[in-house]
Amino acid sequence: MSTVAGVLSRLESKRLTTIARTAVSELRSNRLTLVGALIVAVLGFVAIVGPLIVPYEPAAQDLSNRLQGPSLAHPLGTDQLGRDVATRLVYGARVSLGIAILVTALRVLIGTTVGMVAGYAGGWVDELFMRLVDVQLAFPGLVLALVVAGILGPSLRNVMIALAVVGWTTYARVVRGSVLTIKERKYVDVARLVGTPRLRLFRRHLLPGVVNPVIVIATLNLGTVVLATAGLSFIGLGAQPPTPEWGTMLAGGRQYVRSAWWIVNAPGVAIMLTVLGFNLLGDGLRDALDPKQQARVEEV
């Protein structure tokens, strides 16, 4: 019996490898996905390397150079306090992308855990978890995030908590649905019959089957988290001055839209490109990891 389980497990691993290769081929042939991947790669490079090479400090003020337009010394001009906008934009990339990654990781951890436990256990456990998900989904996500951030107080840490609290339910529902399908497959039944420990069963048989949809949702979520973080910071619930966060930069420069357009245009374009990059990449991953594509691989 254990030999049968091993053979079925190896066949499943081979199937997943074939699907991965097909997905990579699909991604390479999709130009929009490559554009999204390039944007994300550039943003990641700027966030990691940029702060090490910029010539100014993000909070350094020079009132004699306030509201100066783009120049060789300041490629994106200076703001109302004489701070270099390009420097603050680069540091803001690290802040915004760092928050997006941490919040998305928390959402994935909570949602995947809840979804796997609910889908595998079934019964009253499944019913309890799914009703909790339904209750949370009854409230608009952004409104709930505003309430949580408002109660906890304005700070980046509290914004992260607020966004993580309201965003895990999508993962829970998707993962639960995948687990309900996977646990009925023959290799899972055989693994249970031979006494495979539950943790090993989750890690070796259930988790690989839910990776694809989780990757797609997480990629799309990264852009929305960047946008939500900037929005909460813009209204004063997120990053506080002088933190170089894109939403805070927008809020600080909104009264200079006509006289110093570069102050708000720079972070605005950065937010737009970030969301666009993650959306293009997420759409490409969704197409490449499409269950219909997987079905075609299984037929082959």
PDB file of all heavy atoms in Angstrom, residues 122-159:
ATOM      1  N   GLY A 122     -13.688  19.711   7.486  1.00  0.00           N
ATOM      2  CA  GLY A 122     -15.113  19.634   7.180  1.00  0.00           C
ATOM      3  C   GLY A 122     -15.963  19.779   8.434  1.00  0.00           C
ATOM      4  O   GLY A 122     -15.499  20.209   9.493  1.00  0.00           O
ATOM      5  N   GLY A 123     -17.223  19.423   8.329  1.00  0.00           N
ATOM      6  CA  GLY A 123     -18.115  19.428   9.484  1.00  0.00           C
ATOM      7  C   GLY A 123     -18.266  20.787  10.130  1.00  0.00           C
ATOM      8  O   GLY A 123     -18.294  21.822   9.466  1.00  0.00           O
ATOM      9  N   TRP A 124     -18.322  20.783  11.464  1.00  0.00           N
ATOM     10  CA  TRP A 124     -18.564  22.029  12.201  1.00  0.00           C
ATOM     11  C   TRP A 124     -17.368  22.980  12.127  1.00  0.00           C
ATOM     12  O   TRP A 124     -17.541  24.202  12.201  1.00  0.00           O
ATOM     13  CB  TRP A 124     -18.901  21.714  13.659  1.00  0.00           C
ATOM     14  CG  TRP A 124     -17.761  21.148  14.452  1.00  0.00           C
ATOM     15  CD1 TRP A 124     -17.452  19.834  14.641  1.00  0.00           C
ATOM     16  CD2 TRP A 124     -16.762  21.885  15.171  1.00  0.00           C
ATOM     17  NE1 TRP A 124     -16.341  19.703  15.422  1.00  0.00           N
ATOM     18  CE2 TRP A 124     -15.896  20.947  15.777  1.00  0.00           C
ATOM     19  CE3 TRP A 124     -16.528  23.242  15.376  1.00  0.00           C
ATOM     20  CZ2 TRP A 124     -14.802  21.315  16.547  1.00  0.00           C
ATOM     21  CZ3 TRP A 124     -15.444  23.626  16.147  1.00  0.00           C
ATOM     22  CH2 TRP A 124     -14.602  22.682  16.723  1.00  0.00           C
ATOM     23  N   VAL A 125     -16.161  22.418  11.940  1.00  0.00           N
ATOM     24  CA  VAL A 125     -14.980  23.283  11.809  1.00  0.00           C
ATOM     25  C   VAL A 125     -15.084  24.114  10.535  1.00  0.00           C
ATOM     26  O   VAL A 125     -14.872  25.341  10.543  1.00  0.00           O
ATOM     27  CB  VAL A 125     -13.694  22.437  11.794  1.00  0.00           C
ATOM     28  CG1 VAL A 125     -12.478  23.327  11.546  1.00  0.00           C
ATOM     29  CG2 VAL A 125     -13.534  21.683  13.104  1.00  0.00           C
ATOM     30  N   ASP A 126     -15.410  23.443   9.444  1.00  0.00           N
ATOM     31  CA  ASP A 126     -15.591  24.136   8.164  1.00  0.00           C
ATOM     32  C   ASP A 126     -16.709  25.170   8.267  1.00  0.00           C
ATOM     33  O   ASP A 126     -16.574  26.318   7.811  1.00  0.00           O
ATOM     34  CB  ASP A 126     -15.909  23.103   7.078  1.00  0.00           C
ATOM     35  CG  ASP A 126     -16.057  23.737   5.708  1.00  0.00           C
ATOM     36  OD1 ASP A 126     -15.473  24.815   5.475  1.00  0.00           O
ATOM     37  OD2 ASP A 126     -16.755  23.149   4.862  1.00  0.00           O
ATOM     38  N   GLU A 127     -17.800  24.782   8.878  1.00  0.00           N
ATOM     39  CA  GLU A 127     -18.940  25.685   9.012  1.00  0.00           C
ATOM     40  C   GLU A 127     -18.582  26.919   9.839  1.00  0.00           C
ATOM     41  O   GLU A 127     -18.931  28.052   9.475  1.00  0.00           O
ATOM     42  CB  GLU A 127     -20.106  24.938   9.680  1.00  0.00           C
ATOM     43  CG  GLU A 127     -21.420  25.699   9.673  1.00  0.00           C
ATOM     44  CD  GLU A 127     -22.052  25.783   8.298  1.00  0.00           C
ATOM     45  OE1 GLU A 127     -21.660  24.986   7.425  1.00  0.00           O
ATOM     46  OE2 GLU A 127     -22.919  26.657   8.099  1.00  0.00           O
ATOM     47  N   LEU A 128     -17.864  26.729  10.926  1.00  0.00           N
ATOM     48  CA  LEU A 128     -17.475  27.843  11.795  1.00  0.00           C
ATOM     49  C   LEU A 128     -16.560  28.821  11.059  1.00  0.00           C
ATOM     50  O   LEU A 128     -16.803  30.042  11.056  1.00  0.00           O
ATOM     51  CB  LEU A 128     -16.775  27.310  13.044  1.00  0.00           C
ATOM     52  CG  LEU A 128     -16.181  28.360  13.997  1.00  0.00           C
ATOM     53  CD1 LEU A 128     -17.276  29.259  14.557  1.00  0.00           C
ATOM     54  CD2 LEU A 128     -15.402  27.688  15.120  1.00  0.00           C
ATOM     55  N   PHE A 129     -15.515  28.287  10.420  1.00  0.00           N
ATOM     56  CA  PHE A 129     -14.560  29.161   9.733  1.00  0.00           C
ATOM     57  C   PHE A 129     -15.214  29.912   8.575  1.00  0.00           C
ATOM     58  O   PHE A 129     -14.962  31.107   8.361  1.00  0.00           O
ATOM     59  CB  PHE A 129     -13.370  28.341   9.214  1.00  0.00           C
ATOM     60  CG  PHE A 129     -12.362  28.007  10.278  1.00  0.00           C
ATOM     61  CD1 PHE A 129     -11.538  26.895  10.153  1.00  0.00           C
ATOM     62  CD2 PHE A 129     -12.226  28.790  11.416  1.00  0.00           C
ATOM     63  CE1 PHE A 129     -10.596  26.587  11.120  1.00  0.00           C
ATOM     64  CE2 PHE A 129     -11.305  28.490  12.397  1.00  0.00           C
ATOM     65  CZ  PHE A 129     -10.491  27.387  12.249  1.00  0.00           C
ATOM     66  N   MET A 130     -16.038  29.228   7.817  1.00  0.00           N
ATOM     67  CA  MET A 130     -16.657  29.874   6.659  1.00  0.00           C
ATOM     68  C   MET A 130     -17.688  30.927   7.066  1.00  0.00           C
ATOM     69  O   MET A 130     -17.884  31.919   6.369  1.00  0.00           O
ATOM     70  CB  MET A 130     -17.301  28.830   5.749  1.00  0.00           C
ATOM     71  CG  MET A 130     -16.288  27.988   4.995  1.00  0.00           C
ATOM     72  SD  MET A 130     -15.123  28.983   3.978  1.00  0.00           S
ATOM     73  CE  MET A 130     -13.659  28.999   5.029  1.00  0.00           C
ATOM     74  N   ARG A 131     -18.357  30.720   8.190  1.00  0.00           N
ATOM     75  CA  ARG A 131     -19.285  31.745   8.658  1.00  0.00           C
ATOM     76  C   ARG A 131     -18.516  32.982   9.123  1.00  0.00           C
ATOM     77  O   ARG A 131     -18.980  34.109   8.949  1.00  0.00           O
ATOM     78  CB  ARG A 131     -20.145  31.196   9.791  1.00  0.00           C
ATOM     79  CG  ARG A 131     -21.090  30.065   9.407  1.00  0.00           C
ATOM     80  CD  ARG A 131     -22.140  30.448   8.357  1.00  0.00           C
ATOM     81  NE  ARG A 131     -21.608  30.569   7.017  1.00  0.00           N
ATOM     82  CZ  ARG A 131     -21.313  29.538   6.218  1.00  0.00           C
ATOM     83  NH1 ARG A 131     -21.487  28.314   6.637  1.00  0.00           N
ATOM     84  NH2 ARG A 131     -20.862  29.757   4.985  1.00  0.00           N
ATOM     85  N   LEU A 132     -17.350  32.780   9.727  1.00  0.00           N
ATOM     86  CA  LEU A 132     -16.508  33.919  10.099  1.00  0.00           C
ATOM     87  C   LEU A 132     -16.067  34.680   8.855  1.00  0.00           C
ATOM     88  O   LEU A 132     -16.038  35.918   8.841  1.00  0.00           O
ATOM     89  CB  LEU A 132     -15.287  33.433  10.881  1.00  0.00           C
ATOM     90  CG  LEU A 132     -15.536  32.903  12.295  1.00  0.00           C
ATOM     91  CD1 LEU A 132     -14.250  32.346  12.886  1.00  0.00           C
ATOM     92  CD2 LEU A 132     -16.106  33.998  13.194  1.00  0.00           C
ATOM     93  N   VAL A 133     -15.731  33.941   7.810  1.00  0.00           N
ATOM     94  CA  VAL A 133     -15.350  34.580   6.544  1.00  0.00           C
ATOM     95  C   VAL A 133     -16.528  35.367   5.982  1.00  0.00           C
ATOM     96  O   VAL A 133     -16.373  36.509   5.525  1.00  0.00           O
ATOM     97  CB  VAL A 133     -14.877  33.513   5.537  1.00  0.00           C
ATOM     98  CG1 VAL A 133     -14.731  34.117   4.139  1.00  0.00           C
ATOM     99  CG2 VAL A 133     -13.555  32.908   5.985  1.00  0.00           C
ATOM    100  N   ASP A 134     -17.716  34.785   6.013  1.00  0.00           N
ATOM    101  CA  ASP A 134     -18.904  35.472   5.483  1.00  0.00           C
ATOM    102  C   ASP A 134     -19.199  36.753   6.261  1.00  0.00           C
ATOM    103  O   ASP A 134     -19.582  37.768   5.670  1.00  0.00           O
ATOM    104  CB  ASP A 134     -20.115  34.542   5.545  1.00  0.00           C
ATOM    105  CG  ASP A 134     -20.014  33.390   4.556  1.00  0.00           C
ATOM    106  OD1 ASP A 134     -19.236  33.514   3.590  1.00  0.00           O
ATOM    107  OD2 ASP A 134     -20.696  32.362   4.768  1.00  0.00           O
ATOM    108  N   VAL A 135     -19.031  36.698   7.580  1.00  0.00           N
ATOM    109  CA  VAL A 135     -19.277  37.893   8.395  1.00  0.00           C
ATOM    110  C   VAL A 135     -18.322  39.011   8.003  1.00  0.00           C
ATOM    111  O   VAL A 135     -18.728  40.168   7.853  1.00  0.00           O
ATOM    112  CB  VAL A 135     -19.140  37.555   9.900  1.00  0.00           C
ATOM    113  CG1 VAL A 135     -19.108  38.833  10.728  1.00  0.00           C
ATOM    114  CG2 VAL A 135     -20.287  36.669  10.351  1.00  0.00           C
ATOM    115  N   GLN A 136     -17.051  38.677   7.817  1.00  0.00           N
ATOM    116  CA  GLN A 136     -16.080  39.713   7.458  1.00  0.00           C
ATOM    117  C   GLN A 136     -16.332  40.243   6.046  1.00  0.00           C
ATOM    118  O   GLN A 136     -16.181  41.434   5.792  1.00  0.00           O
ATOM    119  CB  GLN A 136     -14.660  39.164   7.568  1.00  0.00           C
ATOM    120  CG  GLN A 136     -13.615  40.222   7.279  1.00  0.00           C
ATOM    121  CD  GLN A 136     -12.259  39.867   7.819  1.00  0.00           C
ATOM    122  OE1 GLN A 136     -12.143  39.216   8.856  1.00  0.00           O
ATOM    123  NE2 GLN A 136     -11.214  40.278   7.128  1.00  0.00           N
ATOM    124  N   LEU A 137     -16.713  39.363   5.132  1.00  0.00           N
ATOM    125  CA  LEU A 137     -16.981  39.800   3.764  1.00  0.00           C
ATOM    126  C   LEU A 137     -18.222  40.681   3.675  1.00  0.00           C
ATOM    127  O   LEU A 137     -18.433  41.351   2.667  1.00  0.00           O
ATOM    128  CB  LEU A 137     -17.132  38.586   2.842  1.00  0.00           C
ATOM    129  CG  LEU A 137     -15.852  37.808   2.548  1.00  0.00           C
ATOM    130  CD1 LEU A 137     -16.170  36.554   1.739  1.00  0.00           C
ATOM    131  CD2 LEU A 137     -14.853  38.680   1.800  1.00  0.00           C
ATOM    132  N   ALA A 138     -19.044  40.667   4.714  1.00  0.00           N
ATOM    133  CA  ALA A 138     -20.241  41.509   4.710  1.00  0.00           C
ATOM    134  C   ALA A 138     -19.887  42.992   4.833  1.00  0.00           C
ATOM    135  O   ALA A 138     -20.708  43.855   4.518  1.00  0.00           O
ATOM    136  CB  ALA A 138     -21.173  41.103   5.849  1.00  0.00           C
ATOM    137  N   PHE A 139     -18.675  43.290   5.300  1.00  0.00           N
ATOM    138  CA  PHE A 139     -18.240  44.683   5.434  1.00  0.00           C
ATOM    139  C   PHE A 139     -17.290  45.040   4.287  1.00  0.00           C
ATOM    140  O   PHE A 139     -16.405  44.249   3.952  1.00  0.00           O
ATOM    141  CB  PHE A 139     -17.509  44.892   6.772  1.00  0.00           C
ATOM    142  CG  PHE A 139     -18.354  44.627   7.976  1.00  0.00           C
ATOM    143  CD1 PHE A 139     -18.376  43.370   8.572  1.00  0.00           C
ATOM    144  CD2 PHE A 139     -19.139  45.634   8.528  1.00  0.00           C
ATOM    145  CE1 PHE A 139     -19.156  43.117   9.678  1.00  0.00           C
ATOM    146  CE2 PHE A 139     -19.920  45.393   9.642  1.00  0.00           C
ATOM    147  CZ  PHE A 139     -19.928  44.144  10.224  1.00  0.00           C
ATOM    148  N   PRO A 140     -17.454  46.208   3.690  1.00  0.00           N
ATOM    149  CA  PRO A 140     -16.499  46.634   2.645  1.00  0.00           C
ATOM    150  C   PRO A 140     -15.082  46.662   3.194  1.00  0.00           C
ATOM    151  O   PRO A 140     -14.840  47.185   4.289  1.00  0.00           O
ATOM    152  CB  PRO A 140     -16.995  48.043   2.277  1.00  0.00           C
ATOM    153  CG  PRO A 140     -18.430  48.078   2.703  1.00  0.00           C
ATOM    154  CD  PRO A 140     -18.524  47.189   3.904  1.00  0.00           C
ATOM    155  N   GLY A 141     -14.149  46.087   2.447  1.00  0.00           N
ATOM    156  CA  GLY A 141     -12.789  45.942   2.929  1.00  0.00           C
ATOM    157  C   GLY A 141     -12.127  47.251   3.310  1.00  0.00           C
ATOM    158  O   GLY A 141     -11.520  47.365   4.378  1.00  0.00           O
ATOM    159  N   LEU A 142     -12.241  48.271   2.439  1.00  0.00           N
ATOM    160  CA  LEU A 142     -11.579  49.539   2.713  1.00  0.00           C
ATOM    161  C   LEU A 142     -12.183  50.232   3.932  1.00  0.00           C
ATOM    162  O   LEU A 142     -11.467  50.816   4.751  1.00  0.00           O
ATOM    163  CB  LEU A 142     -11.663  50.456   1.489  1.00  0.00           C
ATOM    164  CG  LEU A 142     -10.920  51.788   1.596  1.00  0.00           C
ATOM    165  CD1 LEU A 142      -9.448  51.551   1.904  1.00  0.00           C
ATOM    166  CD2 LEU A 142     -11.082  52.597   0.324  1.00  0.00           C
ATOM    167  N   VAL A 143     -13.500  50.145   4.066  1.00  0.00           N
ATOM    168  CA  VAL A 143     -14.160  50.759   5.223  1.00  0.00           C
ATOM    169  C   VAL A 143     -13.701  50.075   6.508  1.00  0.00           C
ATOM    170  O   VAL A 143     -13.407  50.739   7.513  1.00  0.00           O
ATOM    171  CB  VAL A 143     -15.693  50.679   5.080  1.00  0.00           C
ATOM    172  CG1 VAL A 143     -16.372  51.184   6.348  1.00  0.00           C
ATOM    173  CG2 VAL A 143     -16.164  51.486   3.877  1.00  0.00           C
ATOM    174  N   LEU A 144     -13.629  48.751   6.482  1.00  0.00           N
ATOM    175  CA  LEU A 144     -13.179  48.019   7.671  1.00  0.00           C
ATOM    176  C   LEU A 144     -11.733  48.358   7.996  1.00  0.00           C
ATOM    177  O   LEU A 144     -11.365  48.504   9.168  1.00  0.00           O
ATOM    178  CB  LEU A 144     -13.332  46.518   7.435  1.00  0.00           C
ATOM    179  CG  LEU A 144     -13.068  45.604   8.631  1.00  0.00           C
ATOM    180  CD1 LEU A 144     -13.956  45.972   9.809  1.00  0.00           C
ATOM    181  CD2 LEU A 144     -13.279  44.145   8.253  1.00  0.00           C
ATOM    182  N   ALA A 145     -10.899  48.508   6.967  1.00  0.00           N
ATOM    183  CA  ALA A 145      -9.507  48.891   7.201  1.00  0.00           C
ATOM    184  C   ALA A 145      -9.420  50.287   7.814  1.00  0.00           C
ATOM    185  O   ALA A 145      -8.597  50.541   8.705  1.00  0.00           O
ATOM    186  CB  ALA A 145      -8.724  48.844   5.888  1.00  0.00           C
ATOM    187  N   LEU A 146     -10.269  51.199   7.342  1.00  0.00           N
ATOM    188  CA  LEU A 146     -10.303  52.545   7.922  1.00  0.00           C
ATOM    189  C   LEU A 146     -10.679  52.497   9.398  1.00  0.00           C
ATOM    190  O   LEU A 146     -10.088  53.200  10.231  1.00  0.00           O
ATOM    191  CB  LEU A 146     -11.295  53.414   7.152  1.00  0.00           C
ATOM    192  CG  LEU A 146     -10.859  53.918   5.773  1.00  0.00           C
ATOM    193  CD1 LEU A 146     -12.037  54.529   5.042  1.00  0.00           C
ATOM    194  CD2 LEU A 146      -9.745  54.942   5.919  1.00  0.00           C
ATOM    195  N   VAL A 147     -11.656  51.668   9.721  1.00  0.00           N
ATOM    196  CA  VAL A 147     -12.102  51.561  11.113  1.00  0.00           C
ATOM    197  C   VAL A 147     -10.983  51.001  11.989  1.00  0.00           C
ATOM    198  O   VAL A 147     -10.683  51.538  13.066  1.00  0.00           O
ATOM    199  CB  VAL A 147     -13.357  50.672  11.202  1.00  0.00           C
ATOM    200  CG1 VAL A 147     -13.704  50.385  12.665  1.00  0.00           C
ATOM    201  CG2 VAL A 147     -14.526  51.330  10.497  1.00  0.00           C
ATOM    202  N   VAL A 148     -10.363  49.922  11.528  1.00  0.00           N
ATOM    203  CA  VAL A 148      -9.291  49.292  12.316  1.00  0.00           C
ATOM    204  C   VAL A 148      -8.119  50.247  12.491  1.00  0.00           C
ATOM    205  O   VAL A 148      -7.593  50.418  13.597  1.00  0.00           O
ATOM    206  CB  VAL A 148      -8.830  47.983  11.646  1.00  0.00           C
ATOM    207  CG1 VAL A 148      -7.628  47.400  12.389  1.00  0.00           C
ATOM    208  CG2 VAL A 148      -9.969  46.978  11.608  1.00  0.00           C
ATOM    209  N   ALA A 149      -7.696  50.892  11.398  1.00  0.00           N
ATOM    210  CA  ALA A 149      -6.573  51.833  11.475  1.00  0.00           C
ATOM    211  C   ALA A 149      -6.920  53.030  12.366  1.00  0.00           C
ATOM    212  O   ALA A 149      -6.078  53.531  13.107  1.00  0.00           O
ATOM    213  CB  ALA A 149      -6.195  52.304  10.074  1.00  0.00           C
ATOM    214  N   GLY A 150      -8.184  53.482  12.290  1.00  0.00           N
ATOM    215  CA  GLY A 150      -8.602  54.599  13.127  1.00  0.00           C
ATOM    216  C   GLY A 150      -8.605  54.248  14.601  1.00  0.00           C
ATOM    217  O   GLY A 150      -8.242  55.076  15.446  1.00  0.00           O
ATOM    218  N   ILE A 151      -8.999  53.016  14.933  1.00  0.00           N
ATOM    219  CA  ILE A 151      -9.020  52.580  16.332  1.00  0.00           C
ATOM    220  C   ILE A 151      -7.606  52.411  16.872  1.00  0.00           C
ATOM    221  O   ILE A 151      -7.286  52.832  17.991  1.00  0.00           O
ATOM    222  CB  ILE A 151      -9.810  51.268  16.472  1.00  0.00           C
ATOM    223  CG1 ILE A 151     -11.297  51.513  16.169  1.00  0.00           C
ATOM    224  CG2 ILE A 151      -9.644  50.677  17.869  1.00  0.00           C
ATOM    225  CD1 ILE A 151     -12.124  50.247  16.128  1.00  0.00           C
ATOM    226  N   LEU A 152      -6.736  51.804  16.063  1.00  0.00           N
ATOM    227  CA  LEU A 152      -5.366  51.529  16.516  1.00  0.00           C
ATOM    228  C   LEU A 152      -4.498  52.779  16.551  1.00  0.00           C
ATOM    229  O   LEU A 152      -3.531  52.842  17.312  1.00  0.00           O
ATOM    230  CB  LEU A 152      -4.716  50.476  15.605  1.00  0.00           C
ATOM    231  CG  LEU A 152      -5.356  49.089  15.609  1.00  0.00           C
ATOM    232  CD1 LEU A 152      -4.650  48.177  14.629  1.00  0.00           C
ATOM    233  CD2 LEU A 152      -5.320  48.482  17.011  1.00  0.00           C
ATOM    234  N   GLY A 153      -4.828  53.757  15.706  1.00  0.00           N
ATOM    235  CA  GLY A 153      -4.036  54.980  15.668  1.00  0.00           C
ATOM    236  C   GLY A 153      -3.169  55.050  14.429  1.00  0.00           C
ATOM    237  O   GLY A 153      -2.841  54.025  13.822  1.00  0.00           O
ATOM    238  N   PRO A 154      -2.787  56.265  14.011  1.00  0.00           N
ATOM    239  CA  PRO A 154      -2.019  56.437  12.778  1.00  0.00           C
ATOM    240  C   PRO A 154      -0.567  55.986  12.904  1.00  0.00           C
ATOM    241  O   PRO A 154       0.198  56.546  13.690  1.00  0.00           O
ATOM    242  CB  PRO A 154      -2.105  57.952  12.526  1.00  0.00           C
ATOM    243  CG  PRO A 154      -2.309  58.557  13.871  1.00  0.00           C
ATOM    244  CD  PRO A 154      -3.099  57.562  14.658  1.00  0.00           C
ATOM    245  N   SER A 155      -0.196  54.967  12.154  1.00  0.00           N
ATOM    246  CA  SER A 155       1.193  54.511  12.053  1.00  0.00           C
ATOM    247  C   SER A 155       1.255  53.447  10.968  1.00  0.00           C
ATOM    248  O   SER A 155       0.237  52.835  10.627  1.00  0.00           O
ATOM    249  CB  SER A 155       1.709  53.937  13.377  1.00  0.00           C
ATOM    250  OG  SER A 155       1.135  52.682  13.648  1.00  0.00           O
ATOM    251  N   LEU A 156       2.441  53.213  10.435  1.00  0.00           N
ATOM    252  CA  LEU A 156       2.603  52.197   9.402  1.00  0.00           C
ATOM    253  C   LEU A 156       2.322  50.799   9.945  1.00  0.00           C
ATOM    254  O   LEU A 156       1.736  49.960   9.268  1.00  0.00           O
ATOM    255  CB  LEU A 156       4.025  52.255   8.830  1.00  0.00           C
ATOM    256  CG  LEU A 156       4.297  53.365   7.810  1.00  0.00           C
ATOM    257  CD1 LEU A 156       5.753  53.344   7.392  1.00  0.00           C
ATOM    258  CD2 LEU A 156       3.399  53.197   6.577  1.00  0.00           C
ATOM    259  N   ARG A 157       2.725  50.543  11.179  1.00  0.00           N
ATOM    260  CA  ARG A 157       2.471  49.231  11.763  1.00  0.00           C
ATOM    261  C   ARG A 157       0.976  48.957  11.869  1.00  0.00           C
ATOM    262  O   ARG A 157       0.506  47.854  11.532  1.00  0.00           O
ATOM    263  CB  ARG A 157       3.106  49.147  13.146  1.00  0.00           C
ATOM    264  CG  ARG A 157       2.958  47.771  13.812  1.00  0.00           C
ATOM    265  CD  ARG A 157       3.386  47.815  15.259  1.00  0.00           C
ATOM    266  NE  ARG A 157       2.518  48.693  16.033  1.00  0.00           N
ATOM    267  CZ  ARG A 157       2.686  48.931  17.333  1.00  0.00           C
ATOM    268  NH1 ARG A 157       3.698  48.388  17.986  1.00  0.00           N
ATOM    269  NH2 ARG A 157       1.865  49.734  17.977  1.00  0.00           N
ATOM    270  N   ASN A 158       0.218  49.945  12.292  1.00  0.00           N
ATOM    271  CA  ASN A 158      -1.226  49.758  12.428  1.00  0.00           C
ATOM    272  C   ASN A 158      -1.907  49.625  11.070  1.00  0.00           C
ATOM    273  O   ASN A 158      -2.908  48.921  10.934  1.00  0.00           O
ATOM    274  CB  ASN A 158      -1.823  50.922  13.218  1.00  0.00           C
ATOM    275  CG  ASN A 158      -1.361  50.927  14.654  1.00  0.00           C
ATOM    276  OD1 ASN A 158      -0.920  49.905  15.186  1.00  0.00           O
ATOM    277  ND2 ASN A 158      -1.434  52.082  15.306  1.00  0.00           N
ATOM    278  N   VAL A 159      -1.382  50.318  10.060  1.00  0.00           N
ATOM    279  CA  VAL A 159      -1.914  50.156   8.706  1.00  0.00           C
ATOM    280  C   VAL A 159      -1.682  48.729   8.224  1.00  0.00           C
ATOM    281  O   VAL A 159      -2.566  48.118   7.605  1.00  0.00           O
ATOM    282  CB  VAL A 159      -1.263  51.169   7.743  1.00  0.00           C
ATOM    283  CG1 VAL A 159      -1.461  50.754   6.294  1.00  0.00           C
ATOM    284  CG2 VAL A 159      -1.858  52.548   7.964  1.00  0.00           C
TER     285      VAL A 159
END
